[in-house]
Amino acid sequence: MEQWVLISADELRRYAAALLQTAGALEHEAAVTAESLVLANLCGHESHGVIRVPEYTGLMRKGQLVPGAELSVVAETPALLAGDANRGFGHMQCRRLIERLIPKARAVGVACGTVRNCGHVGRLGEWVERAAREGLAAMMSVNDNGVLKCVAPPGGTQPRISTNPIAIGVPTGGEPLVLDISTSAVANGKVHVTRTAGRECPPGWLLDSEGRPTTDPNVRFADPPGSILPMGGEQGYKGFGLGLLLDVLVGGLSGGWCPPAPEGAIGTNNVLLVLWDPERHAGRRHFESEAAKLIEYVRDVRRRPGVEAIRLPGDRSAALRREREREGIPLDEGTWAKLGRLAERLGVNVPEARQSQSEAHGLQPVGFNRAKAIAERLPLFVFGSLRRGQWNHDLLVGRYELMLPARLRDFERVRPLMIRPAPGGTVDGELYVLRPEQYDDTLRGCDALEGIPPGETSGPEYRRIPVTVETPDGPREAWAYVEPVE
């Protein structure tokens, strides 16, 4: 079973700050950067967390990230600020940009800021949330100065643009509503995290250099490189089109580059940030009441079988943050070892961390009674086994063919799969599982549904995955339950 460590947020902040400062960052910017990186880990965005510390120290050694750099003003009006970050730490420069833009937005109702030559700014959601907590609406995007290219256009085999994320944050009268997404299927940093952890990527993330689907994260960084799929699946032209236009806006307005960058260009972030003050438009009270009304209306929708709550942008991050602040932050062995090697080189003490055998995604285990209650109201559920997080491939079970994407076909300790309709229901014809989605719960005790007495407490842990099933009567929602196998 995969090994993880758990470390408190405070301890991880001190550790990250010590590494950055010892490598050459100023004390204040090391603390600010560490705070943002650990916040990303707390919210479940490992790709923008402390895994970036070795990257930042390497950039400092090469002179591509400059400690102590100021934010220079290139042009300024009452509603606009165009700046140059001079290759400074992105988390510092974003704070400075927001501090300069907020008064402008309050004064004239809208403010636009651009920054070129900026170090990695981290999680965009952090910055639009800051603005939303000030009662402002915000939209932000960045590009990678035309240097990092990891997304191929639909039908292409060579990456041409970066993941070009966009984040939007709005005040609601309560907690801000924040959307932070890449315009690709996944952020490039998540592929890096998966590779560092020694895991396979889920299906639907990557294509190899020949345009073939793959789950091997190494192909993304090979020569020639593979590519990340655009957001949108079969309609990926939408995600690619959005990323393309954002690249033009960010690169063109900031004074940075769009792909292909000139020879010798540095892979910095270029930034576009727009703030609106609702008070200067229809009024803040109206804005927040409409936001709150819409949120309540959406959450109150009739739910499909097995769906316990409607999840809106930011819900998962907020839940993870509460749990990780209480229980500690999980780091995979690869990331922890990478930080340890850097600490050894810099002479920084490595803090103690607890060992864990589960990823601790913040998902609570539940008992047999709840598992049985969930299963009984589903149109279909499936039991199986998976090895090291991978999916079974083309298992023939009776007259049902279970199609789950995977690379691994080596199955050990596989029990016979059980495919049952819900009470009173029937399923005829072939069963095809089309699309497994991200894990959203962890169930224990499901063995009881296979005949083990309910009192048995040593059964394995099952993962619950929502799937769409094609039947002769049309698509039906179902769950697949799978058992991790060591």
Side-chain angles (χ1 to χ4, degrees):
M1 183 175 288
E2 196 165 0
Q3 297 293 317
W4 298 73
V5 299
L6 285 173
I7 183 170
S8 73
D10 288 340
E11 196 68 44
L12 191 55
R13 284 189 201 98
R14 286 191 289 269
Y15 187 31
L19 291 170
L20 291 167
Q21 186 177 352
T22 305
L26 303 184
E27 181 178 1
H28 177 58
E29 65 189 358
V32 166
T33 302
E35 180 182 347
S36 287
L37 295 178
V38 173
L39 178 59
N41 282 108
L42 281 170
C43 293
H45 297 278
E46 280 73 22
S47 59
H48 291 67
V50 295
I51 194 172
R52 296 282 181 167
V53 171
E55 175 188 338
Y56 294 172
T57 59
L59 292 172
M60 279 192 283
R61 285 198 309 273
K62 293 187 286 188
Q64 296 180 8
L65 185 60
V66 180
E70 294 295 327
L71 179 63
S72 302
V73 176
V74 177
E76 188 170 14
T77 73
L80 179 144
L81 177 69
D84 191 319
N86 300 298
R87 300 184 186 174
F89 278 86
H91 303 85
M92 285 294 300
Q93 305 296 40
C94 272
R95 286 194 178 200
R96 290 167 176 154
L97 178 63
I98 286 180
E99 288 168 1
R100 297 288 296 269
L101 289 182
I102 287 176
K104 292 178 179 291
R106 295 205 194 285
V108 298
V110 63
C112 178
T114 61
V115 177
R116 67 191 182 205
N117 295 323
C118 190
H120 182 246
V121 304
R123 186 174 60 93
L124 271 59
E126 176 183 354
W127 310 116
V128 296
E129 182 177 339
R130 280 177 178 267
R133 291 192 182 280
E134 295 289 332
L136 305 175
M139 182 171 66
M140 182 178 183
S141 186
V142 301
N143 79 353
D144 290 300
N145 205 35
V147 175
L148 178 63
K149 299 178 286 293
C150 45
V151 181
T157 62
Q158 296 171 297
R160 283 294 184 256
I161 64 173
S162 190
T163 58
N164 298 346
I166 182 171
I168 301 173
V170 298
T172 68
E175 285 298 301
L177 181 63
V178 176
L179 173 72
D180 182 357
I181 59 172
S182 63
T183 54
S184 54
V186 65
N188 189 60
K190 289 189 177 180
V191 181
H192 177 56
V193 168
T194 305
R195 182 192 190 199
T196 299
R199 300 196 300 267
E200 296 287 307
C201 293
W205 280 17
L206 298 174
L207 300 176
D208 66 17
S209 60
E210 299 298 321
R212 296 170 301 210
T214 180
T215 59
D216 182 1
N218 294 294
V219 305
R220 167 65 199 97
F221 309 99
D223 185 16
S227 61
I228 302 174
L229 286 161
M231 175 181 67
E234 291 185 359
Q235 296 184 327
Y237 64 90
K238 295 180 180 180
F240 188 84
L242 180 59
L244 184 71
L245 269 293
L246 288 174
D247 215 319
V248 173
L249 284 172
V250 176
L253 293 174
S254 68
W257 306 111
C258 297
E263 188 72 25
I266 302 299
T268 58
N269 275 166
N270 299 309
V271 180
L272 173 64
L273 175 62
V274 184
L275 304 183
W276 297 271
D277 184 1
E279 191 61 43
R280 288 279 183 169
H281 294 261
R284 180 172 174 176
R285 179 179 298 178
H286 174 76
F287 186 99
E288 292 182 350
S289 66
E290 288 300 296
K293 179 184 75 174
L294 178 57
I295 290 170
E296 182 179 2
Y297 182 62
V298 171
R299 289 197 191 278
D300 195 42
V301 71
R302 184 173 66 251
R303 298 187 296 275
R304 297 184 306 190
V307 177
E308 296 181 359
I310 299 299
R311 193 169 71 183
L312 297 186
D315 285 354
R316 175 184 173 274
S317 293
L320 279 176
R321 182 175 181 179
R322 289 191 295 270
E323 174 161 326
R324 291 181 176 187
E325 284 177 338
R326 182 178 67 251
E327 304 291 342
I329 294 173
L331 296 175
D332 64 82
E333 272 193 327
T335 298
W336 186 245
K338 200 169 185 178
L339 294 173
R341 289 192 294 270
L342 177 62
E344 183 178 6
R345 183 173 64 80
L346 296 175
V348 172
N349 291 330
V350 178
E352 291 187 6
R354 291 175 288 154
Q355 294 291 322
S356 173
Q357 286 193 326
S358 66
E359 189 169 349
H361 268 309
L363 305 173
Q364 295 296 319
V366 297
F368 164 75
N369 288 335
R370 181 178 167 211
K372 185 173 184 293
I374 291 171
E376 284 180 343
R377 44 176 210 268
L378 300 175
L380 190 78
F381 56 95
V382 178
F383 285 92
S385 297
L386 73 111
R387 180 176 172 79
R388 293 189 60 79
Q390 303 306 314
W391 288 96
N392 182 22
H393 183 81
D394 298 348
L395 274 182
L396 189 64
V397 185
R399 58 196 179 97
Y400 298 106
E401 189 176 10
L402 181 63
M403 305 285 290
L404 293 172
R407 295 187 66 196
L408 289 185
R409 305 186 184 189
D410 175 22
F411 256 53
E412 299 176 10
R413 293 171 46 199
V414 177
R415 304 179 184 190
L417 290 185
M418 301 175 64
I419 301 177
R420 305 181 188 171
T426 60
V427 178
D428 297 316
E430 292 187 49
L431 169 69
Y432 294 98
V433 176
L434 303 178
R435 180 176 52 85
E437 298 176 0
Q438 188 160 359
Y439 301 148
D440 74 339
D441 206 347
T442 300
L443 300 179
R444 293 184 184 275
C446 290
D447 267 346
L449 295 173
E450 297 188 46
I452 294 180
E456 177 67 54
T457 58
S458 60
E461 179 181 71
Y462 281 84
R463 300 276 192 178
R464 177 168 71 100
I465 299 94
V467 294
T468 302
V469 175
E470 278 294 339
T471 74
D473 297 324
R476 303 176 68 174
E477 299 306 311
W479 298 110
Y481 290 88
V482 291
E483 175 195 354
V485 177
E486 296 182 10

